[in-house]
Amino acid sequence: MGLGSQSRIAVAGAGSIGCYVGGCLALGGRGVSLLLRTALAETIGRSGVRISDLDGADRSLAPAALALTTDPAQAFAQADAILVTVKSGATEEMARLVAQHARPGTVVVSLQNGVGNVDRLKVHLGDKHTIVAGMVPFNVVQTREQLGRPRFHRTTSGTLLIAEGVPGLKALLDVPGSAVAEHADMGAVQWGKLLLNLNNALNALSGLPLATQLADRRWRVLLAAQIEEALAVVRASGIRPARIESVPPRMIPFILRLPDALFRVAARRMLAIDPQARSSMWEDLERRRPTEIEYLQGAIVALASMASLPSPTSARIARLVRQAENAGAGSPRLLPEQIAGQIA
């Protein structure tokens, strides 16, 4: 039996991505419950939420439009589909909660960064649930307006992708502001996304808006070096990442190294970013939260070790992020020359 438009959706770990996607689903007429932190649940419960994007859409939800809870039993008990949007480091904890409280047969969709979260979910959920790989291509920034109302603003474009095979899932999740398509090889998609997500650490270390950082060739050269190193590692491991915005992964370093004027022409879609957008890893440093560095650069380092290949660029950038985490002072706002000096 497939899912339908009346199927209940729970968003497990509703932060910036979860609240944005959940808000779009509620605005699209879906029944949505958000499992979220107490402070955010209380804020949305008082003032509602604003959902906007770089395409100009700007919509509001009253507090009553969403079922808000901090109790996983309440969030999952009646859910037909659960969207897991927690950071990768919290996947196993969330999987245990789903196993404890969700009904057998519930569809569980991983909308997370990294490449190993579906396997982690399967360890705890086994064959009692249908586990679906997903990929969120866009960035969401959370801000607070006057009177404290949260705003979740999609700052980049892209279509959310999910694995094929679950009847009705695409139609259930495909709503304005958060378009969804199916893909036959989500493993390749996730590795392609990971290559681009290697910039998350550079953006976090720079403290710059993404558009400003990517417009500067010095930063792009650092990103190109990371991607080249990662491509060597994944290819030696038999992995073939999917095309990125229809571009073969091997071409990305070449495009990144173009002079600024040529890059602006060749990568117009990559630069279609809200002027103030920054990476989620930058937000984690600023909010003194653990980052996903172990699941991005760390995944490349681990794979390189298994393949007996060097990965000095990924390893040292990961070290700089860990140092920033331990310092607890937000982004260190490094210059590209400082990072390049660490790598040399």
Side-chain angles (χ1 to χ4, degrees), residues 88-139:
S88 295
T91 300
E92 293 186 7
E93 178 185 357
M94 186 57 70
R96 286 190 287 267
L97 293 174
V98 172
Q100 182 178 355
H101 299 295
R103 297 175 298 176
T106 302
V107 176
V108 179
V109 185
S110 171
L111 298 182
Q112 301 167 273
N113 285 331
V115 293
N117 287 304
V118 167
D119 290 337
R120 295 184 190 97
L121 290 169
K122 286 180 178 178
V123 166
H124 294 279
L125 302 179
D127 58 2
K128 293 183 179 179
H129 302 279
T130 299
I131 315 299
V132 179
M135 189 277 285
V136 179
F138 48 74
N139 174 270

Side-chain angles (χ1 to χ4, degrees), residues 6-82:
Q6 299 306 307
S7 297
R8 291 286 312 177
I9 302 167
V11 180
S16 295
I17 291 291
C19 283
Y20 177 82
V21 172
C24 288
L25 288 166
L27 287 162
R30 309 299 190 257
V32 181
S33 298
L34 300 184
L35 175 65
L36 65 181
R37 293 186 179 94
T38 300
L40 186 54
E42 291 175 349
T43 301
I44 295 176
R46 286 193 305 268
S47 56
V49 66
R50 181 179 172 191
I51 304 294
S52 60
D53 62 46
L54 82 166
D55 302 316
D58 196 339
R59 302 172 288 174
S60 296
L61 282 163
L66 293 163
L68 309 170
T69 183
T70 60
D71 180 1
Q74 184 178 354
F76 300 154
Q78 300 303 315
D80 301 296
I82 297 173

Side-chain angles (χ1 to χ4, degrees), residues 36-339:
L36 65 181
R37 293 186 179 94
T38 300
L40 186 54
E42 291 175 349
T43 301
I44 295 176
R46 286 193 305 268
S47 56
V49 66
R50 181 179 172 191
I51 304 294
S52 60
D53 62 46
L54 82 166
D55 302 316
D58 196 339
R59 302 172 288 174
S60 296
L61 282 163
L66 293 163
L68 309 170
T69 183
T70 60
D71 180 1
Q74 184 178 354
F76 300 154
Q78 300 303 315
D80 301 296
I82 297 173
L83 310 183
V84 179
T85 59
V86 294
K87 299 287 186 179
S88 295
T91 300
E92 293 186 7
E93 178 185 357
M94 186 57 70
R96 286 190 287 267
L97 293 174
V98 172
Q100 182 178 355
H101 299 295
R103 297 175 298 176
T106 302
V107 176
V108 179
V109 185
S110 171
L111 298 182
Q112 301 167 273
N113 285 331
V115 293
N117 287 304
V118 167
D119 290 337
R120 295 184 190 97
L121 290 169
K122 286 180 178 178
V123 166
H124 294 279
L125 302 179
D127 58 2
K128 293 183 179 179
H129 302 279
T130 299
I131 315 299
V132 179
M135 189 277 285
V136 179
F138 48 74
N139 174 270
V140 174
V141 172
Q142 177 185 165
T143 56
R144 294 297 173 91
E145 302 178 321
Q146 288 184 342
L147 304 179
R149 182 174 69 160
R151 178 188 182 188
F152 296 94
H153 180 66
R154 177 169 60 80
T155 61
T156 55
S157 61
T159 298
L160 193 153
L161 297 177
I162 58 171
E164 299 175 337
V166 179
L169 181 61
K170 174 188 176 299
L172 175 65
L173 300 181
D174 187 19
V175 294
S178 183
V180 175
E182 293 180 318
H183 198 282
D185 189 352
M186 285 302 300
V189 166
Q190 289 173 332
W191 276 105
K193 174 72 182 307
L194 187 147
L195 292 176
L196 288 187
N197 277 348
L198 294 175
N199 189 55
N200 287 7
L202 292 179
N203 185 251
L205 293 170
S206 77
L208 297 170
L210 278 164
T212 302
Q213 181 218 336
L214 289 171
D216 186 334
R217 186 176 181 274
R218 296 173 303 164
W219 286 107
R220 297 198 308 275
V221 166
L222 287 174
L223 178 56
Q226 284 194 95
I227 292 177
E228 281 185 334
E229 179 178 275
L231 282 171
V233 170
V234 299
R235 286 170 180 163
S237 304
I239 297 166
R240 295 294 180 265
R243 287 173 172 253
I244 301 165
E245 297 288 351
S246 300
V247 178
R250 68 180 184 277
M251 292 297 297
I252 299 297
F254 171 79
I255 294 170
L256 289 170
R257 289 190 173 103
L258 289 172
D260 290 339
L262 289 177
F263 180 76
R264 285 194 293 270
V265 174
R268 286 190 299 271
R269 293 185 67 179
M270 185 181 291
L271 292 174
I273 308 171
D274 185 281
Q276 296 307 310
R278 290 172 171 84
S279 72
S280 59
M281 194 174 293
W282 170 86
E283 183 178 352
D284 288 337
L285 288 182
E286 291 295 303
R287 297 188 179 208
R288 282 54 167 177
R289 297 187 307 218
T291 72
E292 291 187 299
I293 193 67
E294 303 303 335
Y295 302 92
L296 299 176
Q297 275 80 0
I300 299 300
V301 172
L303 198 63
S305 178
M306 289 189 287
S308 298
L309 288 173
S311 55
T313 309
S314 294
R316 295 182 184 184
I317 288 177
R319 188 187 69 206
L320 289 172
V321 172
R322 293 188 198 104
Q323 289 173 352
E325 281 188 65
N326 293 335
S331 169
R333 293 169 174 76
L334 299 178
L335 297 173
E337 292 79 9
Q338 292 174 288
I339 298 174

